[in-house]
Amino acid sequence: MTIQKTSKHIVSKKRVSSLQLTATALSSAMLLVSAGAMAADEAKDTKKLNTVKVETDAVVSFKADKASSPKQTQPLVDTPQTIVVVKKELFQQQAATTLSETLRNTPGITMLMGENGNTATGDSIFMRGFDTQGSIFVDGIRDLGSISRDTFNTEQVEIAKGPAGVDNGRGAASGYVNLSSKLANLDDATTGTVGFGSGDFKRGTVDVNRALGDSSAVRVNLLKQDSGVVGRDKVESNFEGVAASLGLGLQTETRTYVNFLSMKQSGIPDGGIPTIGLPGYYHAAFDSRPSTTYPAGGPLAGQKSQLVDTENFYGSTSDHNDVNANMATVRIEHDLAEGVTLRNTSRYGRTNQEQVLTGVNAITIPAAAKDKPETWTIARSRQGRDQTNQILTNQTNLTAAFETGGIKHDLSSGVEFVYESQLTYTMGMPFVSPTSSTTVTQVAANLYNPSGDDKFQPVVRTGAKTDGETTTYALYALDTITLNDHWEISAGVRAERFHTKTDNITRQAAVTAPATQTIPVGTLLGSSAKLDDELVSWKLGTVYKPSENGSIYVSYATSQLPPGGANFSLVTTANNANNPNVDPQKGTNQEIGTKWNVFNNKLSLTAAVFRSTNENEFATNTDGTTTAVGERQVEGVEFGVAGILMQNWQISAGLAFMDPEITRGNRATAAANTDGGTIQWSPETTFTLWNSYTFESGLVIGGGARYMDSVASSSLTDADAQSRRSVLEVPDYWVVDAMASYPVTKNITVQLNVFNLADEEYVASLNNAGSRYFAGTERSARLGVNFAF
């Protein structure tokens, strides 16, 4: 039997230089302008059509002047930190509907697939060399849960890079992502989109804002999406959402916003496809890499493995991912005096996720059937998640602008009380008996021709669970001191006390024989751990302004992540990062940069050199002990541009070069050594570009490109140990997208987006072991009708 291969090999390319990246960006932009000029010239010689004239000065710029948080008291140009703001005008033009898609507009971010046999769900973000999934916020308040966030109710997405403990408390050394929500205002407007596309994509949104009087308004956003996934059989991604905002006392001294958000997500989740056939794929039977452990002469030596069809689905149509998220927020603002505002925000949020997913694992190639790939099989794991997250918080902030002794101060200070909890039930296939540690077996799938008619084992609660909670009390103050027209000093400090408690129930997996009793297999055992501690974070920056529209700055910032800080899960196991006796991980960031607003403040240019370090990570010493002595460090430079380059021509672009290194890693054995290795999932070079041109007729032509350098799936430094991994790295790739929109009437615009114009085949994400991956989206399109009244 011959296996028909429907996918091309994903081939690694040469790395591009900074000159090539710059040339590509400029040539893309010039091509767009040239096309526009040619179209304009041709229009002069042809019969004029009935068109809708657009006031080009009304085009909303991609450039943002300020972040939404009151803790950021200065305009972005005067803020001594790399902060990228992606406005809704940009991601709507790109037809980006999720946070993950929106984050493509900033360099230095990759998406994870999962580890330890589990497949990640939701916004699994890796930024500047560090996991950032636990540092996602909505309107400055942490948003919990491994869910995929839709942008239908988002005004702008803000990406702050580098440790930001002063802003938000505990967090990763990479920084954080904040979604700024839409609020009620006094402008009557109705906007929305109805769209269809590849992968059975169907989506509709509506945004209605109405003034209720001189100082009150209501705003309602609705979402409905039913969609498959381009290039994948069976997989579905469906969303329903409603967001409401009531504004009272608008444009008065006392303003109140009452906001509510309810989201439902459903569908069939994707467990990925095996990496067999990818460049560098290793299996002992193929002997595709030199190895002392697997010497030459394997049963398939010299034979090339074949890619599986990227549409193959190895799960069950009964797999599901059901998410219910609800959030209620009340914010009251009062102007105490000119330049002095007091804000109080209260929020309760609850997110529940119930998921059953089928993952793919090891491939079996029978020795007697080495030349019959139609008989090869792949093991499957039935995975589950049953998790509920809650947050209850009250936060008070005071901003004040004042002078003392001729020196200007912009002060932001406050107090925060936060309660967060996470309840997770352990899910798995049933045990063969109540007193057994062995689960029933999931039948393997045919590697190249999986069947949906196979029997799939149920996924049930095992009896084990983790119930964790953290209560935090925090005080903070940030002050920007303007010494004169050219010099500013920014300083901030945050002190917080937290209490974390975790109650665990585990299932006894093996017979033990203590001095007094034997614990039978299957017995449910309870344990508890708690941690009380204080954290102090600070940051300091100096800004020199050669002119009003530019700045040169230097800054230093810190953050801390205590045990259990990412998942509320403390353990009593020794040599574990979540043991209460372990010191918090400590992140620092040193940055020198410059920011300029040019072309009459319509275009923003930024550049920064940075060094981010995370200390107190767990690492194995030469004597075999494991202690919190590990360290990772990322050095790099990042460039950005956003705004109007010339009349009607908008651009948003970013370029980052990084040198990610594990400066203190595992040293116990050569095979497990990571000391001096590269940080997983951290590309050395990333680039993103989007630009668009608006013609007088209202026609908008846009397009862009993204480049992702190759990323390592392993931090191992031993060549022999690396050679035994399934796939060592994800090859680099380019993706080019394009769009066009045209106003058919004053209120109706038709928009076409084409993704992956060159139909590039690439690996979008890979699991830690390198055995399974998500393929990049193939060439596809969406057609939408936008309306505005």
Side-chain angles (χ1 to χ4, degrees), residues 76-97:
L76 292 176
V77 70
D78 296 332
T79 301
Q81 181 183 4
T82 298
I83 299 179
V84 179
V85 177
V86 184
K87 298 174 63 176
K88 69 177 185 296
E89 288 76 19
L90 174 55
F91 60 75
Q92 287 175 354
Q93 201 172 93
Q94 297 169 330
T97 61

Side-chain angles (χ1 to χ4, degrees), residues 549-565:
N549 66 318
S551 68
I552 301 169
Y553 67 88
V554 57
S555 65
Y556 186 91
T558 69
S559 66
Q560 297 192 63
L561 186 64

Side-chain angles (χ1 to χ4, degrees), residues 355-435:
Q355 176 186 263
V356 172
L357 178 146
T358 304
V360 293
N361 303 105
I363 295 173
T364 298
I365 301 176
K370 61 183 181 181
D371 57 345
K372 298 179 180 179
E374 69 272 13
T375 67
W376 300 354
T377 60
I378 185 167
R380 292 181 288 193
S381 60
R382 298 282 283 160
Q383 306 167 17
R385 179 188 294 269
D386 187 346
Q387 185 177 94
T388 300
N389 288 277
Q390 294 186 91
I391 184 168
L392 177 65
T393 183
N394 182 268
Q395 303 183 3
T396 300
N397 171 268
L398 176 69
T399 56
F402 58 94
E403 290 189 5
T404 57
I407 297 177
K408 181 183 176 183
H409 295 262
D410 288 293
L411 177 69
S412 179
S413 60
V415 57
E416 298 179 355
F417 304 94
V418 187
Y419 170 80
E420 301 162 284
S421 69
Q422 185 177 90
L423 172 62
T424 304
Y425 292 95
T426 303
M427 308 290 289
M429 291 185 293
F431 294 97
V432 295
S433 72
T435 58

Side-chain angles (χ1 to χ4, degrees), residues 436-723:
S436 173
S437 60
T438 303
T439 62
V440 297
T441 302
Q442 172 59 47
V443 63
N446 184 283
L447 176 62
Y448 289 101
N449 189 26
S451 172
D453 296 328
D454 291 338
K455 179 182 178 180
F456 287 88
Q457 298 291 349
V459 177
V460 298
R461 292 181 179 179
T462 66
K465 69 175 183 178
T466 300
D467 189 358
E469 62 180 40
T470 295
T471 303
T472 304
Y473 311 90
L475 295 167
Y476 65 87
L478 305 97
D479 191 14
T480 298
I481 304 170
T482 303
L483 302 176
N484 51 47
D485 291 341
H486 298 290
W487 289 98
E488 296 178 358
I489 297 176
S490 295
V493 64
R494 179 187 179 101
E496 56 187 299
R497 179 173 179 80
F498 68 91
H499 169 77
T500 297
K501 179 184 177 183
T502 304
D503 295 321
N504 291 300
I505 295 179
T506 58
R507 188 179 188 275
Q508 183 69 17
V511 175
T512 61
T516 57
Q517 63 179 349
T518 297
I519 302 176
V521 173
T523 302
L524 298 179
L525 306 174
S527 64
S528 181
K530 64 179 181 179
L531 173 63
D532 294 277
D533 203 356
E534 295 86 23
L535 302 176
V536 176
S537 302
W538 59 277
K539 63 181 179 180
L540 182 65
T542 300
V543 177
Y544 172 67
K545 294 181 64 61
S547 63
E548 185 178 354
N549 66 318
S551 68
I552 301 169
Y553 67 88
V554 57
S555 65
Y556 186 91
T558 69
S559 66
Q560 297 192 63
L561 186 64
N567 56 9
F568 313 101
S569 180
L570 295 172
V571 298
T572 56
T573 307
N575 300 329
N576 189 295
N578 287 323
N579 187 293
N581 296 319
V582 175
D583 290 335
Q585 295 183 23
K586 295 183 178 181
T588 61
N589 186 66
Q590 305 168 54
E591 184 167 315
I592 300 174
T594 184
K595 301 181 180 183
W596 292 88
N597 288 335
V598 297
F599 298 163
N600 198 24
N601 291 325
K602 293 182 178 180
L603 184 71
S604 170
L605 304 175
T606 64
V609 179
F610 63 88
R611 174 188 289 171
S612 296
T613 304
N614 200 54
E615 302 175 346
N616 293 348
E617 297 186 356
F618 260 71
T620 306
N621 304 306
T622 54
D623 61 1
T625 60
T626 302
T627 53
V629 295
E631 180 183 277
R632 284 183 291 171
Q633 183 172 279
V634 180
E635 296 179 336
V637 57
E638 182 168 331
F639 304 93
V641 56
I644 299 175
L645 194 59
M646 57 184 294
Q647 187 176 11
N648 303 333
W649 181 17
Q650 295 210 78
I651 186 171
S652 173
L655 171 64
F657 300 100
M658 299 192 303
D659 180 18
E661 181 183 1
I662 299 178
T663 48
R664 173 60 168 92
N666 295 326
R667 297 177 176 176
T669 63
N673 186 76
T674 60
D675 202 31
T678 189
I679 300 176
Q680 291 174 284
W681 321 121
S682 302
E684 292 187 3
T685 305
T686 49
F687 170 74
T688 178
L689 164 71
W690 183 267
N691 56 173
S692 64
Y693 189 86
T694 303
F695 295 85
E696 185 177 354
S697 64
L699 172 67
V700 179
I701 300 292
R706 305 189 310 274
Y707 173 74
M708 180 70 70
D709 204 351
S710 58
V711 296
S713 70
S714 168
S715 298
L716 297 173
T717 59
D718 181 70
D720 184 58
Q722 287 209 38
S723 71

